[in-house]
Amino acid sequence: MKSVFHLIKGDMKQIYRDPMLLISLVGPFLLILLVRFILPFATAQFALGAYHELLASFFILLIPLLLGIMAGFIMLDERDDKMIDYFAVTPLSKQGYLLYRLLLPGVLTVLYGYIYLEWASPVSLPILDKLLVTVMLAMEAPIICLFLVAIAANKIEGLALSKGVGLVVFVPFIIYFVSEPWNWAGGILPTFWPAKLFLIEGVHLMTSLFIGGLGAGIHIFYIFQLSKRFLRKTD
């Protein structure tokens, strides 16, 4: 527990000192304000009412993206400074360290996602769909974090990768503008599944459960594979 408090204290100092990390932390809140107050005005001015579902799914995917990148940069800094090796020999262990690092962006995503869905979203989802979307979003932030630290050799590479991984938030546009069944090809990407719940026509319990269940499985697969790669890379 002492090691966890040490991590939390270090995180707050690092985020306060690094403008990029600070923006990533408060960015989702600013995004929520934008969707809540600016988007309705833009919708009225540019006749975007027909694209509410598309815009709602796009903006909510930015939340785990920002938080996942934040957590990934913190881990890359700690790996460069050999801090992960230090935590590996403490009671926290390397696995405990990784669990903390993945839980932090996941929990923050749940909090921000709840505020977005309940207060800012231009689309009101059924309760089940809200739950399924939130569960998948909570796993997307860790996936993005793990992708950066499992692939990038240092923070410079991580910065370049973060620009590429940001493209996954545009998956809703594939779902919206590419007809079925072709748009299902996007299912290899985790962001496809929460976006699909926003964009399915009608409300069908079994369809929501199918999309949510399969999507959660895809997310878990990515977390498992990327976690193994990260642990091997830090051995």
Side-chain angles (χ1 to χ4, degrees):
M1 186 62 69
K2 185 177 180 180
S3 298
V4 173
F5 285 130
H6 179 72
L7 278 169
I8 295 174
K9 184 178 179 181
D11 288 348
M12 297 308 298
K13 289 181 178 179
Q14 188 171 356
I15 291 171
Y16 179 76
R17 291 196 301 262
D18 191 324
M20 183 179 294
L21 296 180
L22 185 60
I23 291 172
S24 296
L25 180 62
V26 302
F29 179 70
L30 299 177
L31 174 70
I32 290 170
L33 293 178
L34 182 149
V35 174
R36 180 67 175 84
F37 296 109
I38 306 300
L39 184 60
F41 173 78
T43 298
Q45 292 296 313
F46 301 103
L48 299 176
Y51 301 102
H52 270 172
E53 291 81 2
L54 174 61
L55 294 172
S57 61
F58 169 73
F59 283 121
I60 199 172
L61 291 177
L62 292 172
I63 294 175
L65 174 67
L66 290 170
L67 296 172
I69 288 175
M70 178 193 73
F73 283 168
I74 290 174
M75 290 184 69
L76 287 170
D77 274 338
E78 289 174 338
R79 190 173 68 189
D80 291 345
D81 294 338
K82 307 298 183 183
M83 290 301 297
I84 296 179
D85 295 335
Y86 163 76
F87 287 114
V89 297
T90 67
L92 182 64
S93 78
K94 189 181 295 184
Q95 288 76 15
Y97 164 83
L98 180 60
L99 179 61
Y100 165 80
R101 281 283 169 243
L102 299 185
L103 280 176
L104 177 62
V107 170
L108 289 174
T109 298
V110 170
L111 294 175
Y112 279 126
Y114 175 81
I115 297 172
Y116 178 94
L117 290 170
E118 294 295 331
W119 185 64
S121 175
V123 176
S124 180
L125 294 178
I127 294 177
L128 175 62
D129 287 6
K130 286 181 181 178
L131 176 62
L132 294 172
V133 166
T134 301
V135 169
M136 287 187 282
L137 289 178
M139 291 189 281
E140 280 180 16
I143 288 172
I144 292 167
C145 170
L146 283 168
F147 178 79
L148 294 180
V149 298
I151 305 299
N154 50 57
K155 194 172 181 180
I156 301 300
E157 289 187 12
L159 183 60
L161 280 174
S162 68
K163 297 178 181 178
V165 78
L167 296 175
V168 298
V169 301
F170 291 96
V171 166
F173 293 88
I174 297 176
I175 301 173
Y176 192 87
F177 291 108
V178 178
S179 60
E180 294 193 4
W182 305 109
N183 61 28
W184 285 91
I188 61 172
L189 298 173
T191 49
F192 172 90
W193 301 97
K196 191 69 174 178
L197 285 174
F198 276 92
L199 297 170
I200 55 175
E201 295 182 1
V203 180
H204 304 287
L205 176 62
M206 295 309 298
T207 302
S208 294
L209 289 174
F210 171 77
I211 293 173
L214 187 55
I218 295 292
H219 283 74
I220 292 171
F221 172 80
Y222 273 97
I223 290 175
F224 180 71
Q225 294 299 324
L226 290 171
S227 294
K228 288 200 305 182
R229 183 182 176 95
F230 166 76
L231 291 172
R232 285 198 305 266
K233 198 168 185 176
T234 54
D235 283 339

mmCIF file of all heavy atoms in Angstrom, residues 60-61 63-65 67-68 71 99-114 117 130-146 190-191 194 215-216 219-220 223:
data_model
loop_
_atom_site.group_PDB
_atom_site.id
_atom_site.type_symbol
_atom_site.label_atom_id
_atom_site.label_comp_id
_atom_site.label_asym_id
_atom_site.label_seq_id
_atom_site.Cartn_x
_atom_site.Cartn_y
_atom_site.Cartn_z
ATOM 1 N N ILE A 60 -16.953 10.554 -27.440
ATOM 2 C CA ILE A 60 -16.740 9.758 -26.230
ATOM 3 C C ILE A 60 -15.491 8.890 -26.351
ATOM 4 O O ILE A 60 -14.844 8.569 -25.353
ATOM 5 C CB ILE A 60 -17.981 8.892 -25.898
ATOM 6 C CG1 ILE A 60 -17.923 8.458 -24.421
ATOM 7 C CG2 ILE A 60 -18.081 7.680 -26.827
ATOM 8 C CD1 ILE A 60 -19.179 7.772 -23.936
ATOM 9 N N LEU A 61 -15.109 8.520 -27.572
ATOM 10 C CA LEU A 61 -13.896 7.725 -27.759
ATOM 11 C C LEU A 61 -12.632 8.531 -27.475
ATOM 12 O O LEU A 61 -11.567 7.955 -27.220
ATOM 13 C CB LEU A 61 -13.840 7.171 -29.182
ATOM 14 C CG LEU A 61 -14.870 6.103 -29.536
ATOM 15 C CD1 LEU A 61 -14.736 5.695 -31.000
ATOM 16 C CD2 LEU A 61 -14.728 4.878 -28.639
ATOM 17 N N ILE A 63 -12.163 10.250 -24.856
ATOM 18 C CA ILE A 63 -11.895 10.205 -23.412
ATOM 19 C C ILE A 63 -10.857 9.130 -23.082
ATOM 20 O O ILE A 63 -9.815 9.437 -22.479
ATOM 21 C CB ILE A 63 -13.200 10.007 -22.614
ATOM 22 C CG1 ILE A 63 -14.099 11.241 -22.784
ATOM 23 C CG2 ILE A 63 -12.894 9.758 -21.134
ATOM 24 C CD1 ILE A 63 -15.466 11.092 -22.140
ATOM 25 N N PRO A 64 -11.077 7.856 -23.428
ATOM 26 C CA PRO A 64 -10.035 6.855 -23.135
ATOM 27 C C PRO A 64 -8.750 7.092 -23.914
ATOM 28 O O PRO A 64 -7.670 6.713 -23.455
ATOM 29 C CB PRO A 64 -10.695 5.526 -23.518
ATOM 30 C CG PRO A 64 -11.772 5.888 -24.480
ATOM 31 C CD PRO A 64 -12.275 7.223 -24.026
ATOM 32 N N LEU A 65 -8.853 7.713 -25.095
ATOM 33 C CA LEU A 65 -7.636 8.009 -25.862
ATOM 34 C C LEU A 65 -6.724 8.945 -25.074
ATOM 35 O O LEU A 65 -5.522 8.673 -24.913
ATOM 36 C CB LEU A 65 -8.008 8.628 -27.206
ATOM 37 C CG LEU A 65 -6.827 9.111 -28.059
ATOM 38 C CD1 LEU A 65 -5.993 7.929 -28.523
ATOM 39 C CD2 LEU A 65 -7.317 9.928 -29.247
ATOM 40 N N LEU A 67 -6.710 9.675 -21.816
ATOM 41 C CA LEU A 67 -6.261 9.108 -20.545
ATOM 42 C C LEU A 67 -5.290 7.955 -20.759
ATOM 43 O O LEU A 67 -4.350 7.765 -19.979
ATOM 44 C CB LEU A 67 -7.472 8.652 -19.732
ATOM 45 C CG LEU A 67 -8.413 9.783 -19.307
ATOM 46 C CD1 LEU A 67 -9.673 9.228 -18.672
ATOM 47 C CD2 LEU A 67 -7.710 10.736 -18.339
ATOM 48 N N GLY A 68 -5.497 7.179 -21.811
ATOM 49 C CA GLY A 68 -4.573 6.092 -22.120
ATOM 50 C C GLY A 68 -3.203 6.612 -22.522
ATOM 51 O O GLY A 68 -2.169 6.063 -22.120
ATOM 52 N N ALA A 71 -1.388 7.831 -19.331
ATOM 53 C CA ALA A 71 -0.817 6.725 -18.559
ATOM 54 C C ALA A 71 0.372 6.108 -19.283
ATOM 55 O O ALA A 71 1.366 5.728 -18.653
ATOM 56 C CB ALA A 71 -1.894 5.665 -18.305
ATOM 57 N N LEU A 99 -0.888 -3.451 -12.770
ATOM 58 C CA LEU A 99 -2.309 -3.391 -12.439
ATOM 59 C C LEU A 99 -2.710 -1.975 -12.034
ATOM 60 O O LEU A 99 -3.749 -1.461 -12.485
ATOM 61 C CB LEU A 99 -2.624 -4.367 -11.300
ATOM 62 C CG LEU A 99 -4.085 -4.405 -10.820
ATOM 63 C CD1 LEU A 99 -5.016 -4.838 -11.952
ATOM 64 C CD2 LEU A 99 -4.228 -5.340 -9.627
ATOM 65 N N TYR A 100 -1.890 -1.326 -11.216
ATOM 66 C CA TYR A 100 -2.181 0.048 -10.811
ATOM 67 C C TYR A 100 -2.200 0.973 -12.019
ATOM 68 O O TYR A 100 -3.100 1.806 -12.184
ATOM 69 C CB TYR A 100 -1.148 0.537 -9.796
ATOM 70 C CG TYR A 100 -1.171 2.040 -9.611
ATOM 71 C CD1 TYR A 100 -2.126 2.647 -8.805
ATOM 72 C CD2 TYR A 100 -0.242 2.855 -10.269
ATOM 73 C CE1 TYR A 100 -2.171 4.025 -8.653
ATOM 74 C CE2 TYR A 100 -0.271 4.236 -10.122
ATOM 75 C CZ TYR A 100 -1.237 4.816 -9.315
ATOM 76 O OH TYR A 100 -1.275 6.186 -9.187
ATOM 77 N N ARG A 101 -1.205 0.825 -12.867
ATOM 78 C CA ARG A 101 -1.092 1.699 -14.029
ATOM 79 C C ARG A 101 -2.268 1.536 -14.994
ATOM 80 O O ARG A 101 -2.658 2.478 -15.677
ATOM 81 C CB ARG A 101 0.223 1.423 -14.764
ATOM 82 C CG ARG A 101 1.427 2.070 -14.108
ATOM 83 C CD ARG A 101 1.447 3.535 -14.436
ATOM 84 N NE ARG A 101 2.445 4.265 -13.623
ATOM 85 C CZ ARG A 101 2.152 5.209 -12.770
ATOM 86 N NH1 ARG A 101 0.890 5.551 -12.590
ATOM 87 N NH2 ARG A 101 3.090 5.832 -12.094
ATOM 88 N N LEU A 102 -2.847 0.342 -15.052
ATOM 89 C CA LEU A 102 -3.987 0.113 -15.934
ATOM 90 C C LEU A 102 -5.299 0.525 -15.275
ATOM 91 O O LEU A 102 -6.231 0.973 -15.954
ATOM 92 C CB LEU A 102 -4.050 -1.358 -16.348
ATOM 93 C CG LEU A 102 -2.847 -1.889 -17.130
ATOM 94 C CD1 LEU A 102 -3.105 -3.332 -17.569
ATOM 95 C CD2 LEU A 102 -2.523 -1.015 -18.336
ATOM 96 N N LEU A 103 -5.378 0.379 -13.961
ATOM 97 C CA LEU A 103 -6.612 0.750 -13.257
ATOM 98 C C LEU A 103 -6.820 2.257 -13.243
ATOM 99 O O LEU A 103 -7.951 2.738 -13.349
ATOM 100 C CB LEU A 103 -6.579 0.223 -11.818
ATOM 101 C CG LEU A 103 -6.920 -1.248 -11.616
ATOM 102 C CD1 LEU A 103 -6.751 -1.635 -10.148
ATOM 103 C CD2 LEU A 103 -8.343 -1.544 -12.073
ATOM 104 N N LEU A 104 -5.737 3.014 -13.113
ATOM 105 C CA LEU A 104 -5.859 4.471 -13.006
ATOM 106 C C LEU A 104 -6.581 5.083 -14.210
ATOM 107 O O LEU A 104 -7.595 5.772 -14.037
ATOM 108 C CB LEU A 104 -4.481 5.104 -12.826
ATOM 109 C CG LEU A 104 -4.454 6.641 -12.761
ATOM 110 C CD1 LEU A 104 -5.252 7.127 -11.545
ATOM 111 C CD2 LEU A 104 -3.025 7.165 -12.714
ATOM 112 N N PRO A 105 -6.123 4.853 -15.448
ATOM 113 C CA PRO A 105 -6.861 5.432 -16.585
ATOM 114 C C PRO A 105 -8.231 4.804 -16.773
ATOM 115 O O PRO A 105 -9.164 5.471 -17.247
ATOM 116 C CB PRO A 105 -5.951 5.148 -17.786
ATOM 117 C CG PRO A 105 -5.154 3.968 -17.382
ATOM 118 C CD PRO A 105 -4.934 4.128 -15.908
ATOM 119 N N GLY A 106 -8.374 3.529 -16.387
ATOM 120 C CA GLY A 106 -9.673 2.874 -16.507
ATOM 121 C C GLY A 106 -10.719 3.496 -15.601
ATOM 122 O O GLY A 106 -11.847 3.764 -16.024
ATOM 123 N N VAL A 107 -10.347 3.750 -14.350
ATOM 124 C CA VAL A 107 -11.278 4.355 -13.387
ATOM 125 C C VAL A 107 -11.617 5.783 -13.804
ATOM 126 O O VAL A 107 -12.790 6.203 -13.748
ATOM 127 C CB VAL A 107 -10.674 4.330 -11.968
ATOM 128 C CG1 VAL A 107 -11.512 5.171 -11.012
ATOM 129 C CG2 VAL A 107 -10.579 2.899 -11.461
ATOM 130 N N LEU A 108 -10.611 6.540 -14.236
ATOM 131 C CA LEU A 108 -10.872 7.907 -14.689
ATOM 132 C C LEU A 108 -11.793 7.920 -15.904
ATOM 133 O O LEU A 108 -12.664 8.790 -16.027
ATOM 134 C CB LEU A 108 -9.552 8.607 -15.031
ATOM 135 C CG LEU A 108 -8.644 8.969 -13.848
ATOM 136 C CD1 LEU A 108 -7.316 9.512 -14.347
ATOM 137 C CD2 LEU A 108 -9.326 9.982 -12.941
ATOM 138 N N THR A 109 -11.624 6.938 -16.791
ATOM 139 C CA THR A 109 -12.498 6.848 -17.963
ATOM 140 C C THR A 109 -13.935 6.582 -17.559
ATOM 141 O O THR A 109 -14.874 7.151 -18.136
ATOM 142 C CB THR A 109 -12.012 5.740 -18.914
ATOM 143 O OG1 THR A 109 -10.696 6.058 -19.382
ATOM 144 C CG2 THR A 109 -12.938 5.606 -20.118
ATOM 145 N N VAL A 110 -14.133 5.721 -16.569
ATOM 146 C CA VAL A 110 -15.484 5.437 -16.083
ATOM 147 C C VAL A 110 -16.130 6.708 -15.532
ATOM 148 O O VAL A 110 -17.299 7.006 -15.816
ATOM 149 C CB VAL A 110 -15.456 4.341 -15.000
ATOM 150 C CG1 VAL A 110 -16.817 4.220 -14.311
ATOM 151 C CG2 VAL A 110 -15.086 2.996 -15.623
ATOM 152 N N LEU A 111 -15.379 7.470 -14.745
ATOM 153 C CA LEU A 111 -15.923 8.701 -14.158
ATOM 154 C C LEU A 111 -16.287 9.717 -15.233
ATOM 155 O O LEU A 111 -17.391 10.269 -15.250
ATOM 156 C CB LEU A 111 -14.909 9.299 -13.189
ATOM 157 C CG LEU A 111 -14.604 8.477 -11.927
ATOM 158 C CD1 LEU A 111 -13.505 9.128 -11.113
ATOM 159 C CD2 LEU A 111 -15.865 8.314 -11.084
ATOM 160 N N TYR A 112 -15.355 9.972 -16.136
ATOM 161 C CA TYR A 112 -15.615 10.921 -17.208
ATOM 162 C C TYR A 112 -16.717 10.409 -18.144
ATOM 163 O O TYR A 112 -17.567 11.183 -18.612
ATOM 164 C CB TYR A 112 -14.341 11.175 -18.017
ATOM 165 C CG TYR A 112 -13.382 12.157 -17.406
ATOM 166 C CD1 TYR A 112 -12.042 11.819 -17.196
ATOM 167 C CD2 TYR A 112 -13.784 13.440 -17.060
ATOM 168 C CE1 TYR A 112 -11.140 12.726 -16.655
ATOM 169 C CE2 TYR A 112 -12.895 14.355 -16.517
ATOM 170 C CZ TYR A 112 -11.569 13.991 -16.318
ATOM 171 O OH TYR A 112 -10.687 14.898 -15.783
ATOM 172 N N GLY A 113 -16.674 9.109 -18.433
ATOM 173 C CA GLY A 113 -17.680 8.532 -19.319
ATOM 174 C C GLY A 113 -19.079 8.645 -18.748
ATOM 175 O O GLY A 113 -20.044 8.912 -19.484
ATOM 176 N N TYR A 114 -19.201 8.448 -17.443
ATOM 177 C CA TYR A 114 -20.515 8.568 -16.794
ATOM 178 C C TYR A 114 -21.046 9.997 -16.928
ATOM 179 O O TYR A 114 -22.226 10.198 -17.263
ATOM 180 C CB TYR A 114 -20.399 8.170 -15.325
ATOM 181 C CG TYR A 114 -21.680 8.368 -14.549
ATOM 182 C CD1 TYR A 114 -22.702 7.426 -14.601
ATOM 183 C CD2 TYR A 114 -21.873 9.515 -13.774
ATOM 184 C CE1 TYR A 114 -23.888 7.612 -13.898
ATOM 185 C CE2 TYR A 114 -23.050 9.712 -13.076
ATOM 186 C CZ TYR A 114 -24.057 8.756 -13.136
ATOM 187 O OH TYR A 114 -25.230 8.956 -12.443
ATOM 188 N N LEU A 117 -22.121 10.582 -20.601
ATOM 189 C CA LEU A 117 -23.356 9.903 -21.002
ATOM 190 C C LEU A 117 -24.584 10.482 -20.313
ATOM 191 O O LEU A 117 -25.665 10.546 -20.909
ATOM 192 C CB LEU A 117 -23.241 8.402 -20.712
ATOM 193 C CG LEU A 117 -22.268 7.620 -21.604
ATOM 194 C CD1 LEU A 117 -22.066 6.209 -21.060
ATOM 195 C CD2 LEU A 117 -22.769 7.570 -23.045
ATOM 196 N N LYS A 130 -25.604 1.910 -22.048
ATOM 197 C CA LYS A 130 -24.698 2.782 -21.294
ATOM 198 C C LYS A 130 -23.703 1.948 -20.486
ATOM 199 O O LYS A 130 -22.498 2.257 -20.445
ATOM 200 C CB LYS A 130 -25.494 3.678 -20.340
ATOM 201 C CG LYS A 130 -26.238 4.812 -21.008
ATOM 202 C CD LYS A 130 -26.958 5.649 -19.962
ATOM 203 C CE LYS A 130 -27.750 6.784 -20.603
ATOM 204 N NZ LYS A 130 -28.488 7.581 -19.596
ATOM 205 N N LEU A 131 -24.199 0.891 -19.858
ATOM 206 C CA LEU A 131 -23.329 0.032 -19.053
ATOM 207 C C LEU A 131 -22.289 -0.654 -19.923
ATOM 208 O O LEU A 131 -21.094 -0.683 -19.597
ATOM 209 C CB LEU A 131 -24.170 -1.003 -18.310
ATOM 210 C CG LEU A 131 -23.397 -2.044 -17.497
ATOM 211 C CD1 LEU A 131 -22.590 -1.355 -16.398
ATOM 212 C CD2 LEU A 131 -24.348 -3.068 -16.892
ATOM 213 N N LEU A 132 -22.729 -1.197 -21.066
ATOM 214 C CA LEU A 132 -21.809 -1.898 -21.957
ATOM 215 C C LEU A 132 -20.768 -0.954 -22.544
ATOM 216 O O LEU A 132 -19.584 -1.301 -22.638
ATOM 217 C CB LEU A 132 -22.600 -2.578 -23.078
ATOM 218 C CG LEU A 132 -23.535 -3.717 -22.645
ATOM 219 C CD1 LEU A 132 -24.414 -4.171 -23.806
ATOM 220 C CD2 LEU A 132 -22.731 -4.886 -22.101
ATOM 221 N N VAL A 133 -21.209 0.233 -22.933
ATOM 222 C CA VAL A 133 -20.272 1.229 -23.465
ATOM 223 C C VAL A 133 -19.238 1.600 -22.409
ATOM 224 O O VAL A 133 -18.030 1.668 -22.689
ATOM 225 C CB VAL A 133 -21.025 2.483 -23.953
ATOM 226 C CG1 VAL A 133 -20.054 3.645 -24.183
ATOM 227 C CG2 VAL A 133 -21.782 2.189 -25.238
ATOM 228 N N THR A 134 -19.686 1.831 -21.183
ATOM 229 C CA THR A 134 -18.778 2.231 -20.108
ATOM 230 C C THR A 134 -17.752 1.150 -19.817
ATOM 231 O O THR A 134 -16.562 1.440 -19.618
ATOM 232 C CB THR A 134 -19.573 2.558 -18.833
ATOM 233 O OG1 THR A 134 -20.505 3.609 -19.105
ATOM 234 C CG2 THR A 134 -18.644 3.012 -17.718
ATOM 235 N N VAL A 135 -18.198 -0.097 -19.781
ATOM 236 C CA VAL A 135 -17.273 -1.218 -19.523
ATOM 237 C C VAL A 135 -16.195 -1.286 -20.599
ATOM 238 O O VAL A 135 -14.997 -1.438 -20.301
ATOM 239 C CB VAL A 135 -18.045 -2.546 -19.456
ATOM 240 C CG1 VAL A 135 -17.083 -3.737 -19.468
ATOM 241 C CG2 VAL A 135 -18.909 -2.600 -18.200
ATOM 242 N N MET A 136 -16.591 -1.159 -21.858
ATOM 243 C CA MET A 136 -15.609 -1.238 -22.939
ATOM 244 C C MET A 136 -14.677 -0.035 -22.939
ATOM 245 O O MET A 136 -13.472 -0.171 -23.166
ATOM 246 C CB MET A 136 -16.323 -1.398 -24.279
ATOM 247 C CG MET A 136 -16.927 -2.779 -24.478
ATOM 248 S SD MET A 136 -17.594 -3.054 -26.134
ATOM 249 C CE MET A 136 -19.155 -2.179 -26.023
ATOM 250 N N LEU A 137 -15.230 1.152 -22.692
ATOM 251 C CA LEU A 137 -14.382 2.343 -22.632
ATOM 252 C C LEU A 137 -13.344 2.229 -21.521
ATOM 253 O O LEU A 137 -12.195 2.662 -21.686
ATOM 254 C CB LEU A 137 -15.231 3.588 -22.406
ATOM 255 C CG LEU A 137 -16.097 4.067 -23.565
ATOM 256 C CD1 LEU A 137 -16.907 5.289 -23.127
ATOM 257 C CD2 LEU A 137 -15.264 4.411 -24.782
ATOM 258 N N ALA A 138 -13.734 1.646 -20.387
ATOM 259 C CA ALA A 138 -12.814 1.486 -19.263
ATOM 260 C C ALA A 138 -11.636 0.603 -19.629
ATOM 261 O O ALA A 138 -10.545 0.737 -19.062
ATOM 262 C CB ALA A 138 -13.554 0.893 -18.061
ATOM 263 N N MET A 139 -11.829 -0.306 -20.597
ATOM 264 C CA MET A 139 -10.730 -1.171 -21.036
ATOM 265 C C MET A 139 -9.931 -0.560 -22.183
ATOM 266 O O MET A 139 -8.812 -0.981 -22.458
ATOM 267 C CB MET A 139 -11.279 -2.544 -21.444
ATOM 268 C CG MET A 139 -11.800 -3.359 -20.275
ATOM 269 S SD MET A 139 -12.212 -5.065 -20.720
ATOM 270 C CE MET A 139 -13.825 -4.832 -21.493
ATOM 271 N N GLU A 140 -10.499 0.416 -22.864
ATOM 272 C CA GLU A 140 -9.787 1.019 -23.991
ATOM 273 C C GLU A 140 -8.614 1.883 -23.540
ATOM 274 O O GLU A 140 -7.556 1.898 -24.195
ATOM 275 C CB GLU A 140 -10.746 1.832 -24.859
ATOM 276 C CG GLU A 140 -11.546 0.952 -25.790
ATOM 277 C CD GLU A 140 -12.496 1.739 -26.662
ATOM 278 O OE1 GLU A 140 -12.326 2.963 -26.770
ATOM 279 O OE2 GLU A 140 -13.393 1.116 -27.244
ATOM 280 N N ALA A 141 -8.775 2.592 -22.445
ATOM 281 C CA ALA A 141 -7.663 3.402 -21.940
ATOM 282 C C ALA A 141 -6.454 2.526 -21.594
ATOM 283 O O ALA A 141 -5.328 2.843 -21.999
ATOM 284 C CB ALA A 141 -8.116 4.225 -20.730
ATOM 285 N N PRO A 142 -6.624 1.409 -20.871
ATOM 286 C CA PRO A 142 -5.490 0.516 -20.638
ATOM 287 C C PRO A 142 -4.901 -0.062 -21.923
ATOM 288 O O PRO A 142 -3.689 -0.246 -22.021
ATOM 289 C CB PRO A 142 -6.089 -0.591 -19.759
ATOM 290 C CG PRO A 142 -7.223 0.057 -19.058
ATOM 291 C CD PRO A 142 -7.786 1.019 -20.056
ATOM 292 N N ILE A 143 -5.753 -0.354 -22.920
ATOM 293 C CA ILE A 143 -5.238 -0.885 -24.180
ATOM 294 C C ILE A 143 -4.322 0.124 -24.856
ATOM 295 O O ILE A 143 -3.228 -0.218 -25.336
ATOM 296 C CB ILE A 143 -6.400 -1.266 -25.127
ATOM 297 C CG1 ILE A 143 -7.105 -2.523 -24.614
ATOM 298 C CG2 ILE A 143 -5.898 -1.507 -26.549
ATOM 299 C CD1 ILE A 143 -8.373 -2.870 -25.373
ATOM 300 N N ILE A 144 -4.741 1.385 -24.898
ATOM 301 C CA ILE A 144 -3.926 2.428 -25.516
ATOM 302 C C ILE A 144 -2.626 2.618 -24.741
ATOM 303 O O ILE A 144 -1.538 2.738 -25.326
ATOM 304 C CB ILE A 144 -4.719 3.746 -25.590
ATOM 305 C CG1 ILE A 144 -5.874 3.599 -26.588
ATOM 306 C CG2 ILE A 144 -3.819 4.914 -25.985
ATOM 307 C CD1 ILE A 144 -6.897 4.697 -26.521
ATOM 308 N N CYS A 145 -2.725 2.613 -23.416
ATOM 309 C CA CYS A 145 -1.538 2.715 -22.573
ATOM 310 C C CYS A 145 -0.577 1.562 -22.856
ATOM 311 O O CYS A 145 0.625 1.768 -23.078
ATOM 312 C CB CYS A 145 -1.961 2.723 -21.108
ATOM 313 S SG CYS A 145 -0.594 2.549 -19.933
ATOM 314 N N LEU A 146 -1.093 0.344 -22.866
ATOM 315 C CA LEU A 146 -0.265 -0.834 -23.091
ATOM 316 C C LEU A 146 0.339 -0.843 -24.485
ATOM 317 O O LEU A 146 1.481 -1.276 -24.678
ATOM 318 C CB LEU A 146 -1.093 -2.110 -22.881
ATOM 319 C CG LEU A 146 -1.358 -2.513 -21.437
ATOM 320 C CD1 LEU A 146 -2.414 -3.613 -21.372
ATOM 321 C CD2 LEU A 146 -0.068 -2.989 -20.766
ATOM 322 N N PRO A 190 -10.764 -2.289 -31.124
ATOM 323 C CA PRO A 190 -11.626 -2.198 -29.931
ATOM 324 C C PRO A 190 -12.639 -1.063 -29.991
ATOM 325 O O PRO A 190 -13.767 -1.202 -29.500
ATOM 326 C CB PRO A 190 -10.620 -1.990 -28.794
ATOM 327 C CG PRO A 190 -9.339 -2.557 -29.296
ATOM 328 C CD PRO A 190 -9.337 -2.284 -30.776
ATOM 329 N N THR A 191 -12.259 0.058 -30.587
ATOM 330 C CA THR A 191 -13.160 1.217 -30.607
ATOM 331 C C THR A 191 -14.411 0.985 -31.453
ATOM 332 O O THR A 191 -15.383 1.735 -31.332
ATOM 333 C CB THR A 191 -12.417 2.453 -31.150
ATOM 334 O OG1 THR A 191 -11.736 2.101 -32.361
ATOM 335 C CG2 THR A 191 -11.402 2.969 -30.150
ATOM 336 N N PRO A 194 -17.914 -0.106 -28.876
ATOM 337 C CA PRO A 194 -18.757 0.909 -28.214
ATOM 338 C C PRO A 194 -19.408 1.856 -29.216
ATOM 339 O O PRO A 194 -20.552 2.282 -29.023
ATOM 340 C CB PRO A 194 -17.785 1.649 -27.287
ATOM 341 C CG PRO A 194 -16.435 1.348 -27.821
ATOM 342 C CD PRO A 194 -16.517 -0.009 -28.435
ATOM 343 N N GLY A 215 -17.597 -7.401 -27.984
ATOM 344 C CA GLY A 215 -16.672 -6.278 -27.849
ATOM 345 C C GLY A 215 -15.821 -6.378 -26.589
ATOM 346 O O GLY A 215 -14.618 -6.108 -26.624
ATOM 347 N N ALA A 216 -16.433 -6.763 -25.472
ATOM 348 C CA ALA A 216 -15.677 -6.923 -24.230
ATOM 349 C C ALA A 216 -14.612 -8.003 -24.391
ATOM 350 O O ALA A 216 -13.483 -7.862 -23.896
ATOM 351 C CB ALA A 216 -16.623 -7.265 -23.083
ATOM 352 N N HIS A 219 -11.697 -6.597 -26.281
ATOM 353 C CA HIS A 219 -10.901 -5.732 -25.405
ATOM 354 C C HIS A 219 -10.016 -6.561 -24.468
ATOM 355 O O HIS A 219 -8.838 -6.241 -24.278
ATOM 356 C CB HIS A 219 -11.823 -4.828 -24.579
ATOM 357 C CG HIS A 219 -12.396 -3.679 -25.342
ATOM 358 N ND1 HIS A 219 -13.392 -3.829 -26.278
ATOM 359 C CD2 HIS A 219 -12.116 -2.344 -25.302
ATOM 360 C CE1 HIS A 219 -13.700 -2.643 -26.776
ATOM 361 N NE2 HIS A 219 -12.946 -1.727 -26.203
ATOM 362 N N ILE A 220 -10.579 -7.586 -23.859
ATOM 363 C CA ILE A 220 -9.814 -8.431 -22.936
ATOM 364 C C ILE A 220 -8.661 -9.109 -23.666
ATOM 365 O O ILE A 220 -7.547 -9.228 -23.136
ATOM 366 C CB ILE A 220 -10.739 -9.482 -22.283
ATOM 367 C CG1 ILE A 220 -11.727 -8.783 -21.341
ATOM 368 C CG2 ILE A 220 -9.932 -10.524 -21.510
ATOM 369 C CD1 ILE A 220 -12.825 -9.690 -20.820
ATOM 370 N N ILE A 223 -5.856 -6.570 -24.080
ATOM 371 C CA ILE A 223 -5.195 -6.312 -22.803
ATOM 372 C C ILE A 223 -4.267 -7.462 -22.429
ATOM 373 O O ILE A 223 -3.125 -7.252 -22.002
ATOM 374 C CB ILE A 223 -6.237 -6.068 -21.694
ATOM 375 C CG1 ILE A 223 -6.938 -4.721 -21.906
ATOM 376 C CG2 ILE A 223 -5.580 -6.092 -20.309
ATOM 377 C CD1 ILE A 223 -8.056 -4.456 -20.923
#
